[in-house]
Amino acid sequence: MDPELPVVRLCVAGMQAEAEGRAAAARELFQQAWDGARDDYEACIAAHYLARHQSSPAETLRWNQECLDRADLVGDERVQGFYPSLYVNMATAYRELGRLACAHRYFVLAADRAADAPEGQYGDWNRFAIGEGLRDTAAAAAAEGDAEAGRRGRVDVGVEGPVRELLARWCERGDLKALGLTLPAYLGYLGTTGDRVRLRSALHRVHAARWLPVEEQTWVERAMRAVDVT
């Protein structure tokens, strides 16, 4: 985003007000951004922030829908990286309304666009939110006849058990190195070949360092063998 755009400057000021605990001031700044938006791109940006300051889940959904609609109208590279979080926001709003099957559909859309998010913490946050959302809403989607529900975001059956056992042990004794290497790949797992490669690579790095107890080395080996990267 161009930091010199008036809308962007207002939204940056609004985020600063949020960080300082001044919610009313933040909402006013975001409203000013919306009122001053000159095109769909600027309206998309402003609507995103206004959605965060609504008093009901229904209004939050309305503003997230407005944001998504404006992004669709823009339709160029300026908004390409927005879509993962736009779909996550839609899914989260539907989940807050108890419409879990609808939420699942938007989490699937978010997973399909996850690679469009910028790399780094922002991209990781999106992947973590998508993975968690897919798992949390899969049962509701399946109950409404979605035959594919539950397949996206589920770690391979042979991997889930040993990895969760390892993570539990590392948390218990505070092994931050092992957690730091493995947890991002596990939490951001969306079921793609790339996700399997990342998870296996993370497990391999932990295994190769040889600092784990023998029993845990065996668990890591078991998980590595179970990750299908073919």
Side-chain angles (χ1 to χ4, degrees), residues 2-222:
D2 182 354
E4 297 305 314
L5 286 175
V7 163
V8 174
R9 290 203 301 268
L10 284 166
C11 290
V12 169
M15 288 188 288
Q16 181 63 38
E18 280 184 344
E20 295 170 354
R22 297 184 292 116
R27 191 188 191 287
E28 176 58 30
L29 287 162
F30 297 143
Q31 184 66 53
Q32 290 178 31
W34 171 259
D35 294 340
R38 297 170 297 181
D39 57 25
D40 291 318
Y41 176 69
E42 294 185 0
C44 173
I45 294 170
H48 167 74
Y49 290 102
L50 267 177
R52 292 157 45 155
H53 286 267
Q54 299 305 309
S55 59
S56 71
E59 282 299 293
T60 299
L61 175 62
R62 183 176 77 83
W63 279 102
N64 280 320
Q65 184 69 66
E66 181 74 43
C67 180
L68 179 58
D69 290 345
R70 296 301 185 115
D72 288 342
L73 290 170
V74 174
D76 61 32
E77 69 281 355
R78 291 176 296 169
V79 297
Q80 180 176 343
F82 292 0
Y83 276 95
S85 64
L86 298 187
Y87 288 137
V88 166
N89 291 341
M90 289 291 294
T92 301
Y94 274 119
R95 186 163 56 178
E96 288 292 315
L97 288 166
R99 298 174 62 181
L100 301 185
C102 287
H104 188 80
R105 287 194 288 273
Y106 276 100
F107 281 124
V108 169
L109 289 171
D112 290 339
R113 298 295 296 268
D116 289 338
E119 294 184 0
Q121 289 184 337
Y122 179 75
D124 289 343
W125 176 89
N126 273 290
R127 296 187 72 85
F128 298 166
I130 295 166
E132 178 187 37
L134 286 170
R135 293 186 287 270
D136 286 351
T137 58
E144 292 198 6
D146 184 347
E148 295 296 316
R151 296 184 183 181
R152 297 293 295 271
R154 180 190 299 166
V155 178
D156 304 84
V157 174
V159 182
E160 178 77 16
V163 170
R164 288 187 68 89
E165 173 67 21
L166 286 165
L167 292 175
R169 292 185 180 203
W170 297 339
C171 285
E172 185 176 358
R173 72 165 183 269
D175 190 333
L176 300 183
K177 287 193 298 181
L179 287 168
L181 286 168
T182 309
L183 199 56
Y186 176 78
L187 292 178
Y189 187 93
L190 303 181
T192 68
T193 298
D195 294 324
R196 288 190 285 274
V197 169
R198 279 189 289 274
L199 182 56
R200 193 180 194 284
S201 296
L203 291 167
H204 182 267
R205 287 194 295 271
V206 173
H207 183 269
R210 299 288 179 180
W211 77 74
L212 297 177
V214 173
E215 182 183 10
E216 291 182 10
Q217 286 286 113
T218 302
W219 279 85
V220 174
E221 291 168 4
R222 175 180 167 188

